[in-house]
């Protein structure tokens, strides 16, 4: 016999999961606990006949062969008589809670990180193409809506939202979901609520308010989860914890509304489970005071440290002095993309703030030459490094300001802008530090992983923040191999590279102009070390000007979001992922997205680079990115031929150049670079790309144009390419159609290199020239210069004429063996007196 069960104090996710599991295991019986959430009891009072579930008392547990657990992974939390189960019982688990001690470790386990267990059970029903009735859809919806808090809980995923839409298509009754998801309290529940409210006390920890309450009563009463949530709402607390002894057992139920509260640590210590913001535990035959004291001891552990200004601020701070002119400030605002700057005096103490609005007003009145101190805002609002995120928000709203300088010992050490706060508030859950570390260990060779850890330790010694950046971060997340190590520090990159060489050995090659260095370890591992920097462009397509900066601005200057992530490797933060621009989300969506709208204007080669990454990862350019690429395509005309050829060379290495050429054509790139929209046969390009020369790509695309020699000239950067253009121009005037013999073709094309003849044959679609080249390559060498000397001939220009005549005869099939070649040579020698 197979039996499906869920947890005690059954909620709608458990009930809905029982129904879904029954459809997946139609021969199994569903056993229903008698301890149910009040709203579930109300629902079952009306719809029990629709479900036809059995009670625990109806099951002979000794006969169970397979036990199926839904919305729970612990036998203890099911409330079934565990001792009655046969020792060899098989188990299957469907759950969405994080694994914890006491969970089943054997058998089949399906644990999915979704908002409700019923979500992935419905996914399985869809996978097996099972029908879903309106009643089933409504019950599944009840489980989904209640366990995600109407999709407001942090554990809610896009999968939950998708299943909700699917259930609506299946006639889910929203009004019924609404009616049963919100409970009206009974008289007994109102009395218990009042008691818990009166008995409660508040606990404050670093800006977080926790409401704890206790009560003891002789009889069991359900609905404690609902009452606890209402206590949290009524007291306006960040979390509420109810500790109630009923009969012999103590029930601990907790609910939270703040991201800074993680209830799992508390419930793990009590042997319970749940989510970060909704969890519970049952302690059988425990004393209320003992449990309360244990809860009190655990309270500090459930409060996450507050985000402070020190965590959020940008540093070092870009500032201007009081004697700067308005015009100078305007220029710096353009360079760095800032909308304001702190103003400091000669001792670098903060004295004011100047905004873009201030600058615009002064400029409008023709006062660009005026000093900043005449137009700056005096008495700036500041905060200390210890200010919390909530305090920062409140200060910005109270004073209606967009940036706050952060002070320490009266000196400005950082600045926080409105965009920093918004980014934090809308920050999506990414991978945890532990998850990143696991991926690093899996992707990197052990010696390299250890080296990075040692580098981070040295960075801690020197008091600098250090990060792994670039493609290796992206590839670690994508499980792709990449050992091209780029490191950036918020400090002096060259000085830090030299420090690494002192402590770990190796050699350093520095590049003072860019503030970068390459450190080669004693094991010949090359690591590029860069100073955090920002950059601006004086003109479109120009090379950027570079300035020292911080990690956020260093990442902001990069090309695409998937390349703008960093992993901190300081020992205390090893494995912390920085993803300010939602690169992880774009990887999930398989999109290539630029960081800002002027990205292609500033560096048009990013268009080609974007196509390259799209091909490499089989991604698509994001819609706006694609449109901006089309708009910026004309700017590629301002890029040097050398840079363009380099980008096409990199595109060739991706191995999908034909697709890349087509994508660039759709964007309009070739119409600006070669003056027309391409119409190149795939077969023609297929042959050309085999030569791995980016110049030939341009040549192939331009060749059908009447003025191709002029178009292609700027891309001929070597003498070989210039010679190629010249010889191709000559070959165009050879009348190959009337050359019926291979020997006659040879007479015309013998002076040219095989590669150039091949290129001409492909571009001009002269297939018989390809036949000639193939035959020419296969010809055996029948006679050499030594053979001619042995025949008494004297070396000289005539030798090449003789051997060329022999080649012609071989091509036409008139001579095939060495003996025939000697006979021919003798006949030629006897007829001619010139040898």
């Amino acid at each position: 016999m197979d039996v499906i069960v869920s947890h005690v104090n059954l909620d709608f996710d458990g009930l809905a999961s029982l129904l879904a599991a029954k459809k997946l295991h139609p021969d199994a019986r569903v056993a229903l606990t008698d301890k149910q959430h009040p709203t579930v009891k109300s629902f079952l009072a009306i719809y029990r006949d629709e479900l036809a579930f059995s009670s625990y008392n109806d099951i002979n547990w000794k006969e169970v062969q397979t036990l199926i657990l839904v919305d729970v992974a612990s036998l203890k939390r099911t409330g079934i008589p565990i001792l009655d189960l046969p020792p060899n019982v098989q188990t299957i688990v469907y759950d969405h809670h994080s694994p914890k001690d006491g969970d089943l470790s054997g058998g089949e386990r399906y644990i999915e990180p979704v908002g409700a267990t019923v979500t992935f059970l419905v996914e399985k029903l869809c996978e097996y193409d099972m029908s879903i009735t309106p009643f089933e859809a409504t019950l599944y919806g009840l489980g989904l809506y209640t366990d995600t808090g109407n999709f407001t809980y942090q554990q809610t995923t896009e999968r939950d939202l998708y299943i909700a839409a699917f259930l609506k298509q299946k006639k889910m009754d929203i009004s019924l979901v609404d009616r049963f998801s919100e409970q009206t309290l009974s008289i007994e529940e109102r009395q218990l609520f009042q008691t818990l409210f009166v008995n409660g006390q508040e606990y404050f920890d670093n800006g977080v308010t926790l409401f704890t309450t206790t009560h003891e009563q002789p009889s069991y009463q359900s609905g404690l989860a609902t009452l606890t949530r209402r206590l949290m709402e009524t007291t306006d607390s960040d979390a509420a914890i109810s500790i109630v002894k009923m009969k012999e057992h103590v029930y601990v139920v907790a609910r939270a509304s703040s991201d800074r509260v993680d209830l799992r640590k508390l419930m793990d210590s009590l042997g319970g489970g749940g989510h970060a913001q909704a969890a519970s535990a049952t302690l059988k035959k425990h004393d209320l005071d003992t449990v309360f004291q244990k809860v009190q001891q655990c309270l500090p552990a459930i409060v996450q440290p507050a985000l402070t200004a020190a965590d959020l601020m940008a540093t070092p701070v870009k500032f201007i002095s009081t004697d700067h002119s308005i015009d100078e400030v305007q220029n710096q605002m353009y360079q760095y993309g800032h909308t304001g700057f702190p103003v400091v005096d000669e001792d670098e103490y903060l004295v004011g703030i100047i905004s873009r609005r201030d600058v615009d007003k002064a400029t409008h009145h023709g006062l660009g030459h005026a000093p900043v101190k005449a137009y700056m805002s005096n008495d700036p609002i500041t905060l200390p490094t210890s200010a919390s995120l909530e305090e920062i928000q409140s200060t910005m709203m109270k004073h209606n300001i967009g940036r706050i300088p952060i002070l320490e010992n009266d000196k400005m050490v950082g600045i926080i802008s409105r965009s920093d706060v918004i980014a934090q508030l809308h920050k999506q859950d990414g991978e945890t530090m532990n998850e990143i570390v696991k991926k690093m260990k899996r992707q990197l060779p052990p010696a390299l992983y250890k080296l990075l850890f040692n580098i981070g330790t040295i960075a801690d010694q020197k008091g600098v923040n250090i990060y792994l950046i670039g493609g290796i971060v992206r590839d670690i997340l994508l499980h792709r191999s990449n050992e091209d190590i780029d490191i950036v520090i918020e400090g002096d990159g060259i000085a830090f590279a030299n420090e690494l060489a002192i402590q770990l050995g190796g050699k350093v090659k520095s590049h003072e102009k860019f503030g970068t260095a390459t450190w080669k370890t004693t094991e010949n591992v090359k690591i590029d070390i860069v100073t955090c920097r920002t950059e601006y462009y004086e003109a479109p397509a120009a090379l950027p000007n570079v300035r020292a900066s911080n990690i956020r601005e260093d990442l902001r200057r990069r090309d695409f979001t998937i390349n703008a992530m960093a992993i901190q490797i300081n020992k205390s933060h090893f494995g912390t992922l920085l993803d300010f621009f939602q690169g992880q989300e774009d990887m999930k969506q398989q999109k290539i997205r630029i960081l800002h709208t002027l990205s292609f204007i500033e560096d048009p080669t990013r268009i080609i680079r974007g196509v390259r990454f799209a091909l490499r990862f089989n991604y698509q350019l994001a819609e706006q990115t694609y449109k901006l690429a089309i708009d910026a395509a004309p700017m590629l005309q301002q890029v040097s031929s050398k840079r363009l050829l380099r980008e096409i060379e990199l595109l060739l290495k991706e191995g999908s150049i034909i697709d890349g050429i087509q994508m660039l054509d759709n964007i309009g790139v070739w119409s600006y670079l070669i003056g027309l929209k391409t119409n190149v046969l795939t077969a023609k390009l297929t042959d050309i790309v085999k030569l791995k020369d980016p110049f030939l790509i341009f040549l192939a695309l331009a060749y059908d144009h009447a003025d191709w020699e002029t178009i292609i000239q700027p891309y001929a950067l070597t003498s070989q390419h210039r010679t190629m253009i010249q010889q191709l121009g000559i070959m165009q005037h050879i009348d190959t159609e009337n050359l019926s013999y291979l020997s006659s073709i040879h007479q015309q094309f013998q002076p040219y290199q095989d590669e150039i003849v091949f290129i001409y044959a492909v571009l001009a679609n002269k297939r018989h020239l390809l036949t000639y080249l193939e035959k020419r390559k296969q010809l055996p060498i029948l006679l050499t210069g030594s053979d001619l000397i042995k025949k008494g001939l004297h070396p000289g220009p005539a030798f090449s004429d003789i051997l060329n005549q022999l080649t012609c005869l071989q091509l036409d099939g008139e001579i095939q063996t060495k003996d025939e070649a000697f006979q021919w040579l003798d006949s030629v020698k006897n007829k001619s007196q010139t040898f």
Side-chain angles (χ1 to χ4, degrees):
M1 177 175 61
D2 298 345
V3 177
I4 308 171
V5 297
S6 188
H7 53 82
V8 293
N9 298 321
L10 186 69
D11 57 15
F12 275 118
D13 188 28
L15 183 66
S17 297
L18 288 171
L19 178 63
K22 172 65 175 176
K23 292 178 73 71
L24 292 171
H25 302 273
D27 296 330
R29 293 181 63 180
V30 176
L32 202 64
T33 172
D34 59 352
K35 295 180 180 178
Q36 302 151 5
H37 191 280
T39 51
V40 173
K41 278 189 175 180
S42 300
F43 182 88
L44 288 174
I46 301 172
Y47 296 104
R48 182 177 292 274
D49 292 342
E50 300 277 348
L51 298 170
F53 292 167
S54 304
S55 71
Y56 279 10
N57 294 330
D58 295 332
I59 303 295
N60 186 345
W61 298 101
K62 291 183 172 59
E63 296 180 357
V64 175
Q65 295 177 321
T66 302
L67 186 65
I68 303 162
L69 285 70
V70 297
D71 199 33
V72 66
S74 167
L75 284 175
K76 183 179 177 182
R77 293 196 64 221
T78 63
I80 65 175
I82 300 174
L83 295 178
D84 288 347
L85 292 173
N88 60 344
V89 65
Q90 302 297 309
T91 59
I92 302 174
V93 173
Y94 299 101
D95 194 18
H96 73 128
H97 298 94
S98 300
K100 56 187 176 299
D101 293 339
D103 286 358
L104 291 169
S105 57
E108 296 182 43
R109 288 167 51 84
Y110 303 96
I111 314 293
E112 296 283 340
V114 290
T117 300
V118 74
T119 291
F120 74 90
L121 286 173
V122 173
E123 289 176 343
K124 285 186 175 294
L125 295 180
C126 296
E127 182 181 337
Y128 296 122
D129 199 25
M130 292 185 172
S131 61
I132 296 177
T133 67
F135 171 77
E136 292 169 340
T138 301
L139 180 52
Y140 297 154
L142 266 169
L144 179 56
Y145 275 75
T146 55
D147 230 43
T148 61
N150 294 331
F151 310 111
T152 62
Y153 293 164
Q154 286 297 312
Q155 68 263 22
T156 305
T157 68
E158 62 269 22
R159 291 166 64 182
D160 301 301
L161 295 168
Y162 178 83
I163 290 301
F166 170 76
L167 293 174
K168 190 68 176 71
Q169 293 176 349
K170 295 297 180 180
K171 310 301 183 186
M172 172 178 62
D173 189 339
I174 291 292
S175 62
L176 202 63
V177 170
D178 180 60
R179 185 192 317 164
F180 281 100
S181 60
E182 188 63 40
Q183 179 190 5
T184 301
L185 299 183
S186 64
I187 295 176
E188 292 79 8
E189 289 167 337
R190 288 198 296 271
Q191 291 173 345
L192 178 56
F193 174 82
Q194 184 64 27
T195 300
L196 292 173
F197 181 79
V198 171
N199 291 352
Q201 57 182 330
E202 290 182 323
Y203 172 88
F204 301 97
D205 186 351
N206 202 13
V208 173
T209 303
L210 305 177
F211 182 84
T212 60
T213 184
T214 61
H215 175 59
E216 183 172 355
Q217 62 184 42
S219 59
Y220 175 79
Q221 185 174 338
S222 60
L224 190 56
T226 299
L227 299 181
T228 303
R229 179 175 60 80
R230 293 199 177 186
L231 284 170
M232 178 182 67
E233 295 169 351
T234 302
T235 60
D236 197 25
S237 302
D238 296 294
I241 304 170
S242 298
I243 309 155
V244 180
K245 183 171 185 179
M246 304 180 188
K247 293 186 178 179
E248 298 179 328
H249 308 324
V250 177
Y251 300 89
V252 181
V253 176
R255 293 294 182 266
S257 59
S258 171
D259 293 341
R260 291 186 54 202
V261 177
D262 188 344
L263 299 169
R264 289 172 295 191
K265 294 181 180 180
L266 169 63
M267 294 308 167
D268 285 347
S269 68
L270 300 176
H275 302 291
Q277 296 183 313
S280 62
T282 300
L283 295 92
K284 294 187 176 181
K285 298 183 178 180
H286 271 64
D287 177 68
L288 179 64
D289 290 337
T290 302
V291 176
F292 175 71
Q293 292 300 323
K294 191 168 185 178
V295 170
Q296 289 289 99
Q297 293 170 4
C298 290
L299 290 182
I302 72 174
V303 178
Q304 308 303 303
L307 279 173
T308 65
D311 300 313
L312 299 174
M313 68 184 186
T315 184
V317 185
K318 292 184 181 64
F319 56 81
I320 55 175
S321 62
T322 53
D323 56 0
H324 271 82
S325 70
I326 293 293
D327 284 342
E328 289 174 318
V329 176
Q330 186 177 48
N331 185 48
Q332 289 201 37
M333 285 182 174
Y334 163 71
Q335 290 178 8
Y336 297 110
H338 289 187
T339 58
F341 284 107
V343 184
V344 299
D345 61 17
E346 60 273 11
D347 297 319
E348 295 192 0
Y349 281 96
L350 181 68
V351 294
I353 294 281
I354 189 162
S355 68
R356 181 178 294 279
R357 182 181 299 174
D358 300 326
V359 170
D360 289 343
K361 284 182 179 179
T363 304
H364 176 74
H365 293 292
L367 297 172
H369 62 282
V372 166
K373 59 186 176 184
Y375 292 92
M376 70 183 186
S377 301
N378 296 306
D379 300 323
I381 304 299
T382 65
L383 286 173
T385 54
S386 59
S388 67
L389 174 61
E390 292 79 9
E391 188 177 354
I392 295 166
Q393 284 180 258
S394 175
T395 303
M396 285 184 170
M397 289 186 291
K398 179 179 179 181
H399 298 282
N400 191 27
I401 53 178
R403 64 194 60 79
I404 301 176
I406 306 302
L407 303 187
E408 190 173 76
N409 298 325
D410 295 327
K411 283 281 188 173
M412 185 168 54
V413 294
I415 191 166
I416 294 177
S417 68
R418 187 181 287 115
S419 59
D420 295 326
V421 174
I422 293 171
Q424 186 61 43
L425 293 176
H426 294 274
K427 183 178 180 181
Q428 295 185 358
D429 290 336
E431 301 198 52
T432 66
M433 188 187 304
N434 289 337
E435 290 169 338
I436 297 297
V437 169
K438 287 179 182 178
K439 289 190 174 185
M440 291 174 70
K441 287 181 177 179
R442 186 164 55 244
Q443 295 298 113
L444 301 176
L448 183 54
Y449 176 85
K450 183 179 179 181
L451 178 62
L452 292 176
F453 194 85
N454 290 338
I455 291 171
T457 302
I458 294 173
D460 286 338
Q461 295 171 6
K462 305 305 292 184
V464 295
N465 292 325
I466 188 164
Y467 308 89
L468 192 64
I469 58 166
I472 189 169
V473 175
R474 175 201 65 223
D475 290 342
I476 285 172
L477 298 177
L478 291 175
H479 306 285
R480 295 171 63 96
S481 64
N482 186 337
E483 296 179 24
D484 186 12
I485 308 298
D486 290 318
I487 286 176
V488 66
I489 74 165
E490 291 181 327
D492 189 333
I494 296 175
F496 186 75
N498 288 325
E499 182 65 28
L500 290 177
I502 291 171
Q503 294 201 34
L504 302 177
K507 297 181 179 180
V508 173
K509 182 178 180 181
S510 60
H511 311 279
E512 297 285 346
K513 180 179 178 181
F514 301 104
T516 65
T518 299
W519 171 49
K520 183 181 285 188
T521 71
T522 53
E523 291 78 23
N524 288 322
V525 176
K526 285 179 62 177
I527 296 181
D528 290 324
I529 301 170
V530 182
T531 299
C532 275
R533 52 190 177 163
T534 188
E535 57 190 31
Y536 69 94
Y537 294 77
E538 293 285 5
L543 293 174
N545 293 314
V546 177
R547 298 284 187 275
S549 186
N550 54 61
I551 184 62
R552 182 188 290 270
E553 294 200 3
D554 189 274
L555 294 174
R556 192 191 301 277
R557 70 184 178 84
R558 299 183 182 274
D559 48 14
F560 304 101
T561 59
I562 64 171
N563 297 330
M565 295 178 286
I567 295 175
Q568 190 164 3
I569 59 173
N570 293 84
K571 185 177 180 180
S572 55
H573 295 86
F574 194 86
T576 300
L577 179 69
L578 278 65
D579 181 14
F580 300 117
F581 310 104
Q582 289 74 56
Q584 293 178 94
E585 183 62 25
D586 285 332
M587 287 193 295
K588 289 180 183 178
Q589 300 295 327
Q590 299 186 329
K591 299 291 185 184
I592 302 295
R593 181 167 60 86
I594 55 173
L595 267 66
H596 54 88
T597 56
L598 293 179
S599 185
F600 289 141
I601 298 296
E602 292 177 343
D603 184 359
T605 62
R606 288 172 175 164
I607 297 173
I608 304 174
R609 218 172 304 155
V611 168
R612 173 154 56 92
F613 287 124
L615 291 173
R616 180 186 302 176
F617 302 116
N618 195 26
Y619 286 5
Q620 299 291 322
L621 296 182
E623 183 178 358
Q624 185 188 32
T625 296
Y626 185 76
K627 292 178 180 177
L628 291 170
I630 292 174
D631 293 340
M635 307 304 298
L636 283 165
Q637 296 173 102
Q638 301 180 32
V639 177
S640 70
S641 298
K642 184 176 181 180
R643 289 184 67 198
L644 288 171
L645 288 167
R646 174 59 179 162
E647 290 297 332
I648 297 300
E649 181 181 12
L650 294 173
L651 190 57
L652 269 167
K653 292 179 179 178
E654 295 297 333
S656 304
I657 185 65
I658 302 298
D659 292 336
I661 290 171
Q662 185 60 58
M663 287 179 67
L664 291 172
D665 196 29
N666 294 339
I667 292 170
V669 167
W670 302 117
S671 63
Y672 294 107
L673 294 183
I674 62 176
L676 74 163
K677 190 169 177 67
T678 65
N679 186 24
V680 180
L681 294 174
T682 302
K684 183 187 294 187
L685 275 172
T686 300
D687 288 332
I688 289 295
V689 298
K690 291 176 183 176
L691 300 177
K692 304 296 182 184
D693 186 342
F695 168 76
L696 297 179
I697 301 297
F698 284 88
L699 179 60
L701 297 175
Y703 189 77
D704 289 334
H705 196 281
D707 198 21
W708 68 270
E709 291 174 87
T710 302
I711 294 172
I712 199 63
Q713 204 68 45
Y715 304 102
L717 303 183
T718 67
S719 58
Q720 180 184 2
H721 290 151
R722 289 189 287 272
T723 299
M724 185 181 296
I725 294 173
Q726 182 183 23
Q727 293 186 359
L728 287 173
I730 295 172
M731 290 180 195
Q732 279 189 313
H733 299 290
I734 298 175
D735 184 8
T736 59
E737 301 304 323
N738 293 320
L739 300 177
S740 55
Y741 293 98
L742 292 181
S743 58
S744 59
I745 294 176
H746 182 67
Q747 292 289 2
Q748 293 288 338
F749 289 93
Q750 181 269 335
Y752 307 112
Q753 296 177 14
D754 283 6
E755 183 185 56
I756 299 179
V757 176
F758 171 79
I759 291 168
Y760 172 67
V762 171
L763 296 182
N765 199 27
K766 306 287 186 181
R767 310 311 294 183
H768 56 299
L769 285 183
L770 295 177
T771 303
Y772 153 71
L773 284 174
E774 190 63 31
K775 184 71 178 290
R776 177 169 144 182
K777 289 178 182 178
Q778 296 173 356
L779 287 180
I781 299 175
L782 300 180
L783 296 180
T784 65
S786 298
D787 293 324
L788 300 185
I789 293 173
K790 288 177 182 179
K791 284 291 185 178
L793 300 178
H794 300 290
F799 270 32
S800 61
D801 292 336
I802 293 172
L803 295 176
N804 190 41
Q805 289 179 44
L806 177 59
T807 299
C808 289
L809 293 169
Q810 286 181 262
L811 287 168
D812 290 342
E814 296 183 20
I815 293 178
Q816 298 179 0
T817 67
K818 196 174 186 71
D819 288 341
E820 291 175 349
F822 275 121
Q823 291 174 14
W824 168 79
L825 181 61
D826 289 339
S827 66
V828 170
K829 182 181 176 183
N830 292 334
K831 292 178 181 179
S832 175
Q833 301 299 319
T834 60
F835 296 148

